[in-house]
Amino acid sequence: MPDDVRADWWMVAQVAARLGHRAAFDYAGPADIFREYAAMTAAANQNTEPQPILLITSSPNTVDAVSTNLAKRLAEGLAAKAGDAEINHRDLGANPLPHLDSTTIGAFYTPEEDRSDEQKAAIALSDELVDELIAAGPIVIAAPMHNFGISSLLKVWLDHIARYGRTF
């Protein structure tokens, strides 16, 4: 392992190489990664229209959650700085998402043209969440810590948006 590369990045690069994706992780070190990120960010910022801000709040305390209040202030500040960008707020505490079931997971791995009507209905919410994520510019996530981890509400959202072939 090279001295200037974090161990976790080196391990991911090794796994990717073994899976036949060496070119996707062909970096000499962290500086290369940051240079590529900066170039991608500069290209994305060529858009003159303010992109919507996606605000995800995940506290079961829907009345006065500290994490929600802080995230709202951050999103409002970003919106003002970007020329009054729209804020799309998804409150997972007030509107919990359903857990994934076998039909939804099956639909994730079924080509769109081969999905049954049941699978299309089951995956519709997940598609909406992914579309919302992809359309967003900045993403602000409020994640209160419960029992040393994120809330189950946020975990369910992550399950819906982690989609092979769509988001990774």
Side-chain angles (χ1 to χ4, degrees):
M1 175 175 66
D3 292 337
D4 65 339
V5 178
R6 287 184 39 181
D8 55 347
W9 181 257
W10 183 82
M11 288 187 311
V12 168
Q14 294 304 305
V15 169
R18 288 189 179 119
L19 293 173
H21 301 287
R22 181 179 305 277
F25 291 88
D26 190 22
Y27 300 106
D32 286 351
I33 298 164
F34 292 122
R35 271 193 289 281
E36 182 172 332
Y37 175 77
M40 290 170 27
T41 302
N45 287 336
Q46 297 298 322
N47 184 4
T48 58
E49 292 292 318
Q51 293 181 290
I53 296 164
L54 179 58
L55 170 61
I56 305 293
T57 55
S58 60
S59 178
N61 175 2
T62 58
V63 177
D64 196 28
V66 173
S67 62
T68 298
N69 291 336
L70 288 171
K72 283 181 179 178
R73 286 177 54 199
L74 176 60
E76 289 165 359
L78 289 170
K81 189 173 184 178
D84 290 324
E86 177 184 355
I87 298 174
N88 297 326
H89 183 186
R90 184 160 296 268
D91 186 341
L92 303 175
N95 300 296
L97 301 172
H99 287 271
L100 299 182
D101 59 19
S102 61
T103 304
T104 306
I105 293 171
F108 286 172
Y109 297 101
T110 302
E112 189 171 354
E113 63 275 4
D114 295 338
R115 290 182 190 143
S116 68
D117 289 340
E118 180 185 23
Q119 286 178 317
K120 289 175 186 174
I123 203 171
L125 175 59
S126 179
D127 282 340
E128 177 185 329
L129 296 169
V130 169
D131 291 344
E132 183 177 75
L133 177 71
I134 291 170
I139 302 165
V140 178
I141 300 176
M145 299 304 287
H146 297 287
N147 297 324
F148 308 109
I150 63 171
S151 71
S152 61
L153 298 166
L154 183 55
K155 173 65 170 93
V156 172
W157 179 78
L158 292 168
D159 288 342
H160 276 280
I161 63 154
R163 296 271 301 278
Y164 177 76
R166 289 224 44 211
T167 57
F168 70 92

